Amino acid sequence: MTSISVIRKDITSLTVDAIVNAANSGLRGGGGVDGAIHAGAGPGLMNECATIIEKNGLCATGSAVTTSAGDLPAKWIIHTVGPIWGEEGEERSSLLLSSCYKSALDAASNLRADSVAFSAISTGAYGFPKRLAAPIAVSAVCSWLEAHQRAEAPSSIFLVCFDEENFRITKAVLDRLGPNNTPLVRTEGQ
Ligand code: APR
């Protein structure tokens, strides 16, 4: 069984296999969680990101790529590029946000990561409304879990909220899902 938990923490402090960064298409670093992750990981991360961009070109919105985590306690960073709110219609933006979570879980599965912590993709500088983003995040994770074998899935998934509002909204979404509502998902707030 995979547990999905919402926690209010700085994602850079977490000792998990993989943390999921809210990156930009050029993996150039930035502010918000991206800035915190680059600051914590050290300058080697920017070199790894530049190598990926040189090789593959810009990262598409909704896709995910993996780097090491440098000086952070995590083992890997999965960088995903969320949609910028207002650039596309709501339906397309929602699909792209869902794709971020699913692509990141694909990457985590390829890494055999057993614990994965997501930042709240697109809900900061990219302006995706938090009350819309939280249910998309939860349902993307649940549908990914339902579509994959237990052996391919991490045991623990953390939805990491930095701000109180995101924490409250995300916890309410998980609470609505109910404990043991599917055989794959256990919910817990913190
Ligand atoms: N740990 C966990 N979450 C954090 C942290 C942190 N240390 N710092 C910020 N956050 C949260 C914010 O509260 C927000 O809810 O991350 C969420 C995502 O916000 P942003 O980091 O602004 O990411 P996003 O909206 O996807 O915008 C991405 O911003 O920093 C740039 O390079 C990045 O261009 C990209 C854009």
Side-chain angles (χ1 to χ4, degrees):
M1 187 187 284
T2 295
S3 72
I4 307 177
S5 318
V6 56
I7 56 173
R8 189 157 180 225
K9 288 259 163 64
D10 177 346
I11 202 168
T12 62
S13 70
L14 299 180
T15 305
V16 289
D17 288 340
I19 59 173
V20 183
N21 183 21
N24 52 62
S25 60
L27 304 180
R28 294 180 307 275
V33 68
D34 199 5
I37 286 173
H38 274 269
L45 176 58
M46 194 58 86
N47 297 335
E48 274 192 71
C49 288
T51 303
I52 290 170
I53 296 295
E54 268 169 39
K55 194 169 155 224
N56 302 341
L58 293 177
C59 301
T61 303
S63 69
V65 295
T66 302
T67 64
S68 72
D71 297 333
L72 291 174
K75 289 185 193 156
W76 300 288
I77 303 165
I78 298 169
H79 306 259
T80 189
V81 184
I84 301 174
W85 185 252
E87 279 203 345
E88 315 259 5
E90 183 175 333
E91 196 181 342
R92 173 94 183 123
S93 297
S94 301
L95 283 173
L96 288 168
L97 185 61
S98 182
S99 173
C100 288
Y101 285 87
K102 292 177 180 178
S103 304
L105 284 169
D106 287 340
S109 181
N110 289 337
L111 293 164
R112 301 266 178 274
D114 198 44
S115 50
V116 181
F118 282 91
S119 55
I121 313 298
S122 282
T123 64
Y126 281 2
F128 208 109
K130 293 171 186 176
R131 72 189 158 75
L132 299 180
I136 292 167
V138 170
S139 85
V141 168
C142 289
S143 62
W144 189 95
L145 289 172
E146 279 158 11
H148 290 78
Q149 301 289 333
R150 172 64 196 94
E152 299 172 274
S155 302
S156 309
I157 295 174
F158 300 95
L159 301 176
V160 181
C161 298
F162 201 53
D163 58 280
E164 176 60 30
E165 187 190 7
N166 241 335
F167 177 75
R168 191 175 36 75
I169 293 169
T170 309
K171 182 164 179 342
V173 173
L174 280 179
D175 287 347
R176 273 203 298 280
L177 201 65
N180 304 318
N181 135 305
T182 87
L184 294 165
V185 178
R186 177 165 59 88
T187 62
E188 54 184 54
Q190 186 170 307

